[in-house]
Amino acid sequence: MRISVIGCGYLGAVHAGCMADLGHQVIGVDTDAAKVDALNAGNAPFFEPGMPKLLADGLASGRLKFTTDVAAAAGCKVHFIAVGTPQKKGENGADLRFVDAAVESLLPVLRPGDVVVGKSTVPVGTASRLTAMIHEVAPETALVWNPEFLREGFAVADTLAPDRLVYGIAAGGEPAAAVLDGVYSSALDADTPRIMTDYATSELVKVAANAFLATKISFINAMAEVCEVAGADVSQLADAIGHDPRIGRRFLNAGLGFGGGCLPKDIRAFMARAGELGADQALTFLREVDSINMRRRARTVDLAREVCGGSLLGKRIAVLGLAFKPDSDDVRDSPALSVAAQLQLQGASVIASDPKAVANSAKRFPELVFAYTVEEAVQDADAIMVLTEWDEYRNLDPHHVAGFVATPVVVDGRNCLDPLKWRSAGWTYRALGRP
Ligand code: UDX
């Protein structure tokens, strides 16, 4: 099938590559010429496992191309909208200007029978509004809302083999859904559940899922706060409650909390939209979820101050991990980067490292000092802080690291190190939610 993907950021570039991998003929469209050039040269503008091969294969097969010219989408049967919906500046709501611009740019190329498919995360009510916009000029083009649930670090696998497919359709939208079935035939052949529903439900599925995940993380982080004052161990608590299949152990890792390009902005946009619709009370708990999450960052800075003897002034602190999670170079709303910057602002001399996220961190906080190896980062450190649980930090040998630091003190911001191993190697080990 001929497919266009409008917006080639994280979501769009991965989606375009995966659609080509499935055998479709794909044109990716983005207004950023530098991004388009990079993608056409086989370079993803972000680190994502599997992405270089996906791009190389797609480009070599001739089934995948990128352009800045939306006219190239003419003749495609399906047009995916995959642009960003960032948080509005100074407000909680989502900024929909890129979604609106993407749909507007498509209007001249739409032909009867084409299907526009929304993948961006949008406030409930957007799909109906966009349908009205489309029908003014292209009454025979249908819109299907098909939210994306991909996780960074697993984006390719999540797109090729999703947990579920959700189609939000308007009345009479079954023929458009059948076209989308053709796009996803391999997933459907593998019995991927497909939920067909109305626009509003499909839009809410995405934000409800992210609100649930954020709540789960903040729940365990609230338990960590209680564990800290009670002298209990939140990791063991999570293991114990996680054995209950009704609860489950996943997303119960206590630590610095959630960040990234999705969870923080999505729960805020969800609260803002519920407020507009008159249901603000229903989501006031998400404000608490957000506050618990932010308190973890402040607590980590306090812990650093504590282990440095009450003051951060002039202390040399090695920060290991800057990405918002491992296997990613993404530092959008990264708890790790935010803690590193706070430590620096409060007088510490920070040397920060990350396997993939140094370049992106340097763009946001050029005043931090960066190191490219663990050894360089921890040299003469008064304390080291592990803030993103990359495997190479989880597997650090405490005896080896002890040879470089000034003082063997480690703060485990992700509960990812083995306290026994570090303590028996002579380290002072401190973590969030653990005695
Ligand atoms: C998330 C959703 O998982 C995905 O379905 C949606 O499409 C986009 O948003 P992503 O942003 O890639 O995906 O990250 P995710 O794996 O959900 O992690 C989010 C944050 O939560 C990270 O900062 C991670 O470190 C943190 N986290 C996750 C915890 O602090 N504890 C956990 O137990 C799990």
Side-chain angles (χ1 to χ4, degrees), residues 265-349:
K265 76 150 173 86
D266 286 354
I267 61 167
R268 292 174 195 150
F270 194 14
M271 282 186 272
R273 185 63 183 141
E276 285 168 6
L277 295 170
D280 41 351
Q281 266 194 325
L283 298 188
T284 46
F285 75 96
L286 287 179
R287 213 186 308 272
E288 200 49 44
V289 165
D290 206 355
S291 314
I292 294 166
N293 193 51
M294 287 303 174
R295 282 208 295 273
R296 294 287 76 191
R297 302 180 187 188
R299 173 72 186 124
T300 306
V301 174
D302 289 346
L303 203 50
R305 191 179 301 100
E306 254 173 74
V307 300
C308 286
S311 169
L312 289 167
L313 278 181
K315 297 290 180 182
R316 195 175 165 91
I317 298 188
V319 164
L320 301 181
L322 293 163
F324 85 106
K325 69 175 192 182
D327 295 316
S328 169
D329 65 354
D330 197 342
V331 295
R332 286 176 294 170
D333 206 347
S334 166
L337 183 57
S338 140
V339 166
Q342 265 308 313
L343 293 169
Q344 173 94 353
L345 288 170
Q346 296 191 23
S349 156

Side-chain angles (χ1 to χ4, degrees), residues 3 53 135 172 183 229 247 270 331 359 412 434:
I3 288 176
K53 181 169 181 334
H135 282 177
V183 174
V229 290
I247 296 174
F270 194 14
V331 295
D412 180 0
R434 277 173 149 180

